[in-house]
Amino acid sequence: MATTTPTALRDLDACHHLHPFTNHKSLRADGSRVIVKGEGCYLWDEDGNRILDGMAGLWNVNIGYGRRELADAAHRQMSELPFYNTFFKTTHPPVVQLSQRLAHLAPDGFNQVFYGSSGSESVDTAIRLLRHYWALRGEPARQIIISRRAAYHGSTIAAASMGGIKTMHEQSYPVYPGFRHVIPPYWFGEAEAGESPADFGLRAARAIEEEILAVGPENVAAVAAEPIMGAGGVKIPPPSYWPEVQRIVDKYGVLLLADEVITAFGRLGNWFAAQHYGIRPHLITFAKAVTSGYIPLSGVLVHDRIATELAAHDDDFHHGYTYSGHPVACAVAIANLDIIDSEGLIERVATQTGPALAEMLQSFADHPLVGEVRSRGLLAAIELVADKSSRRRFAGEGRVGLVCREHAFREGLIMRAVGDTMVLSPPLIWTQSQLHEAREKIRRVLDLTLADVAGEISS
Ligand code: PXG
């Protein structure tokens, strides 16, 4: 069984392991990279190459790799009580302690948490809670959830339906009913010629209002949105967007679901992005960095307005998972939050590394390949374009992004390509030293990519 040489592992992987979101034909042809170790901000592959992780795993390893405290917390909890469920009116210390902690960290009015294991599960839970809430309120027609095109909210059928990823919808047609998708707040890709970010932000927000009016406010359960779209390409809304969305949801009395699977737990320099933007959601979904990815855990923070309604009815909410509130995952989450807190990581993002990353990105703004750079906290994007002035893309969307991603890997830096948008979401423990290393590597990677596509560039 214990076949560990890299080639054997790659072969076995190709034979037996179906990877998520992967072109299986090309994976069989190329093989996969075997990552064998992580320590701090770095990963090592099977050939001994050290790679700077600019993505914190998959937007989740906020405290970096190899923290003993989390392993110890898991060991202690596994020894004491590895599992017990939270159905049938039972509970256990870690889930109570974590819930209290999250209620304390969350925006005002959030005092209850419903748990799952993945972000997709938390989104499914939120969808069910929204519709259940309106049914309890005597407005069962309020079923429709308005989301944005290109948004990623997960891979279960309901979460993928709420998401606006066209290729996913095409593969599981018909998608689950009751979702509408409007323009994302993506000035760089969606604005008309001459339209200012402020005007575009208002237009994108008002597309939500138009959709509410088109389907009838009495049929709308909620607006669902990431504060910043992450996997959709780090689409940072213009400052005019969120205040206008808040005005609109308030005006029509619809609920707001903030999907903070990527933005929660320090990424923007606050515990939650709702605090960063001053928005007032009724549900907040979280996952990923609640445990820094050391063990799966997700949840929905539920505002008092919804929790009070649930508690006012003598009936079950018919929903839950075996692992809702898993004790080991909760114990690991507490150890993770302790580290984020005691090491001042959020403050560091807000006052030091966030501004330094923004400054670093600006140093690429004049590169011939770069159409725009943008960031908030430690969430950043670099747009690759064929023509800077007109923002014209390369032919074959995503092709140049992949070229750039491969150069980055070879240079020892992990960046993610979303189409031709390069994105970064580093661990919150990056210091000036990693920022410096990233600056050097990105500059080189952009130059190498430029050399590959020089013939396609308009100067
Ligand atoms: N909501 C948001 C905002 C997400 O980013 C999910 C829900 C679903 O979470 P789970 O844990 O079910 O995967 C996500 C997940 C990528 C990538 O390639 C992004 C995610 C997951 C996998 C890959 O950028 N985001």
Side-chain angles (χ1 to χ4, degrees), residues 58-59 118-121 123 152-155 226 231 259 261-262 287-288 416:
L58 259 184
W59 325 79
S118 68
S120 303
E121 285 175 359
V123 168
Y152 186 72
H153 291 294
S155 267
E226 292 168 87
D259 183 351
V261 165
I262 284 179
K288 293 191 185 278
R416 165 116 162 64

Side-chain angles (χ1 to χ4, degrees), residues 17-355:
H17 175 198
L18 278 178
H19 292 231
F21 282 91
T22 290
N23 175 330
H24 293 103
K25 186 172 180 191
S26 84
L27 182 77
R28 286 216 175 183
D30 302 343
S32 40
R33 271 193 185 89
V34 183
I35 303 294
V36 293
K37 184 178 161 60
E39 189 66 45
C41 309
Y42 295 93
L43 294 162
W44 279 262
D45 68 13
E46 79 281 12
D47 300 320
N49 295 310
R50 190 178 88 145
I51 310 161
L52 176 64
D53 184 5
M55 281 303 297
L58 259 184
W59 325 79
N60 54 350
V61 188
N62 282 13
I63 60 166
Y65 301 92
R67 292 300 300 249
R68 182 85 215 178
E69 298 90 322
L70 273 62
D72 290 344
H75 182 261
R76 268 196 311 274
Q77 189 57 44
M78 280 193 189
S79 310
E80 185 73 22
L81 178 72
F83 176 75
Y84 199 68
N85 72 72
T86 55
F87 289 52
F88 324 128
K89 294 186 174 165
T90 55
T91 193
H92 49 70
V95 77
V96 177
Q97 286 155 12
L98 177 62
S99 305
Q100 182 197 22
R101 180 78 168 268
L102 290 170
H104 173 70
L105 298 175
D108 288 348
F110 285 91
N111 287 296
Q112 307 263 323
V113 194
F114 194 109
Y115 293 97
S117 300
S118 68
S120 303
E121 285 175 359
S122 71
V123 168
D124 273 34
T125 298
I127 292 166
R128 297 220 47 218
L129 269 172
L130 288 167
R131 291 177 176 170
H132 185 55
Y133 168 83
W134 285 116
L136 291 177
R137 296 282 303 167
E139 296 189 65
R142 285 191 182 261
Q143 294 268 316
I144 291 174
I145 296 172
I146 298 173
S147 159
R148 286 91 51 86
R149 292 197 292 275
Y152 186 72
H153 291 294
S155 267
T156 52
I157 293 181
S161 303
M162 191 171 99
I165 309 280
K166 205 163 143 253
T167 46
M168 292 177 77
H169 290 190
E170 283 164 0
Q171 282 184 351
S172 54
Y173 184 83
V175 295
Y176 197 72
F179 298 94
R180 299 286 190 281
H181 300 94
V182 301
I183 187 172
Y186 179 35
W187 177 83
F188 185 79
E190 302 273 0
E192 282 159 12
E195 192 175 22
S196 71
D199 287 348
F200 171 74
L202 291 178
R203 177 160 74 84
R206 286 174 191 157
I208 294 174
E209 183 166 30
E210 283 161 24
E211 198 61 36
I212 291 174
L213 292 171
V215 299
E218 69 284 5
N219 298 314
V220 179
V223 170
E226 292 168 87
I228 291 176
M229 292 167 76
V234 183
K235 298 185 161 97
I236 301 176
S240 56
Y241 183 73
W242 271 115
E244 184 66 0
V245 174
Q246 186 68 59
R247 180 192 71 76
I248 292 164
V249 294
D250 289 348
K251 177 173 175 190
Y252 296 99
V254 304
L255 298 176
L256 179 61
L257 159 58
D259 183 351
E260 296 225 31
V261 165
I262 284 179
T263 51
F265 307 112
R267 185 132 306 280
L268 303 188
N270 298 75
W271 283 101
F272 292 90
Q275 295 153 335
H276 182 84
Y277 280 109
I279 50 181
R280 297 184 304 279
H282 303 96
L283 294 175
I284 298 175
T285 45
F286 65 88
K288 293 191 185 278
V290 66
T291 59
S292 283
Y294 280 55
I295 197 166
L297 181 70
S298 71
V300 187
L301 276 153
V302 180
H303 192 273
D304 292 346
R305 173 169 163 186
I306 295 177
T308 309
E309 195 64 40
L310 283 179
H313 295 264
D314 191 15
D315 192 9
D316 284 19
F317 173 46
H318 298 281
H319 181 80
Y321 310 105
T322 302
Y323 299 130
S324 287
H326 192 287
V328 179
C330 291
V332 171
I334 292 167
N336 173 59
L337 298 178
D338 283 346
I339 287 177
I340 295 178
D341 203 10
S342 66
E343 297 186 3
L345 295 181
I346 294 185
E347 180 70 9
R348 200 203 287 185
V349 172
T351 61
Q352 295 170 37
T353 45

